[in-house]
Amino acid sequence: MFKQILEDMVNQTPGGVGAVLMGYDGIAIDQHVAEGDDVDLQLVAIEYSNVVKEIRKTAEILGTGELQEVSVKTGRYFVIIHAVSPDYFVALTLTRDGNFGKGRYLLMRDTPRLREALA
Amino acid sequence: MFKQILEDMVNQTPGGVGAVLMGYDGIAIDQHVAEGDDVDLQLVAIEYSNVVKEIRKTAEILGTGELQEVSVKTGRYFVIIHAVSPDYFVALTLTRDGNFGKGRYLLMRDTPRLREALA
């Protein structure tokens, strides 16, 4: 069920490379990578789980409220991360010519479905 | 000169709370905080410089290209961070009902001016 939601997200986002549902402990629950892409999504997710943990800690220290979304733009990719629950997050990776706004929208739309599926 | 650019950014962004130009070493060069806001921008910036360092390291490990932009949405704020140079970044904080898109646009527009002013 996770897989289908992740797959739809990647397929419906122009430039979508992959999506992964992951625990803050760095262990992926499920993922989908677009065909033809050789991105090591597992590695990406583990690395970003450290980043997200750091940001979560920061938000706590600063009292700026719960972490909801992080997006990162690098030379090659966009990565958009949404908090799903206190233990899990979902990360969507797209190419730089991909549709960032659509990706954000789909994450926002589908995060509640992932949350329900986790419960 | 930094100050004026930062001030314009904050004033021109609906919901703008503050902007800070900062080194990855956590030392601020200059900042502007909107009147009436009691945000400890210095603290925010120091905390986020750790986050940005972590993300930069991650982008390096993953070979995903240079870090350009990070945005964080928490319960109370948006924080948008732009890389200015290999040593400096600029962070713009806005309230959750602020105009995120306008903030991103202004950071994109003014980052080259900050880069020139640093040179």
Side-chain angles (χ1 to χ4, degrees):
Chain A
M1 56 193 165
F2 300 125
K3 189 116 188 147
Q4 192 56 51
I5 300 174
L6 298 171
E7 192 175 331
D8 288 349
M9 245 183 227
V10 174
N11 292 340
Q12 288 171 29
T13 307
V17 171
V20 58
L21 177 64
M22 180 147 225
Y24 285 105
D25 55 6
I27 296 170
I29 296 185
D30 221 332
Q31 60 178 311
H32 175 76
V33 181
E35 265 178 62
D37 268 299
D38 61 348
V39 174
D40 186 346
L41 213 60
Q42 197 77 12
L43 181 64
V44 171
I46 291 170
E47 289 302 329
Y48 276 106
S49 72
N50 291 326
V51 170
V52 175
K53 262 190 287 191
E54 187 71 30
I55 295 177
R56 216 156 65 139
K57 211 174 65 190
T58 299
E60 246 167 61
I61 292 171
L62 298 173
T64 50
E66 216 178 310
L67 180 69
Q68 297 176 343
E69 186 191 287
V70 179
S71 48
V72 177
K73 187 163 95 178
T74 66
R76 288 174 56 202
Y77 296 108
F78 287 119
V79 181
I80 316 169
I81 295 166
H82 257 248
V84 176
S85 78
D87 297 319
Y88 299 98
F89 65 92
V90 53
L92 175 67
T93 301
L94 37 160
T95 54
R96 275 297 302 273
D97 56 358
N99 190 333
F100 177 73
K102 180 84 183 282
R104 271 190 86 200
Y105 163 73
L106 290 176
L107 272 179
M108 223 157 346
R109 189 194 67 182
D110 290 341
T111 293
R113 288 172 64 206
L114 288 170
R115 194 175 295 129
E116 274 167 38
L118 276 169
Chain B
M1 57 191 166
F2 301 126
K3 189 119 189 144
Q4 193 55 53
I5 300 174
L6 298 171
E7 191 175 333
D8 289 349
M9 245 183 226
V10 174
N11 292 341
Q12 289 172 29
T13 307
V17 171
V20 57
L21 177 64
M22 178 148 227
Y24 284 105
D25 56 6
I27 297 170
I29 296 185
D30 220 332
Q31 60 178 311
H32 174 77
V33 181
E35 263 178 63
D37 268 299
D38 61 349
V39 174
D40 186 347
L41 213 60
Q42 199 77 12
L43 181 65
V44 171
I46 290 171
E47 289 302 330
Y48 276 106
S49 73
N50 290 327
V51 169
V52 175
K53 262 190 285 190
E54 187 71 30
I55 295 177
R56 216 157 64 138
K57 211 174 64 189
T58 298
E60 244 168 62
I61 291 170
L62 297 173
T64 50
E66 216 178 310
L67 181 68
Q68 297 177 343
E69 186 191 286
V70 179
S71 49
V72 177
K73 187 164 94 178
T74 67
R76 289 174 55 202
Y77 296 108
F78 287 119
V79 181
I80 317 170
I81 295 165
H82 257 248
V84 176
S85 77
D87 297 318
Y88 299 98
F89 65 92
V90 54
L92 175 67
T93 300
L94 38 160
T95 52
R96 275 297 302 272
D97 56 358
N99 191 333
F100 176 73
K102 180 85 183 282
R104 270 189 87 200
Y105 163 73
L106 290 175
L107 273 179
M108 224 157 347
R109 189 194 67 182
D110 290 341
T111 294
R113 287 172 62 206
L114 288 170
R115 193 174 296 130
E116 273 166 40
L118 277 168

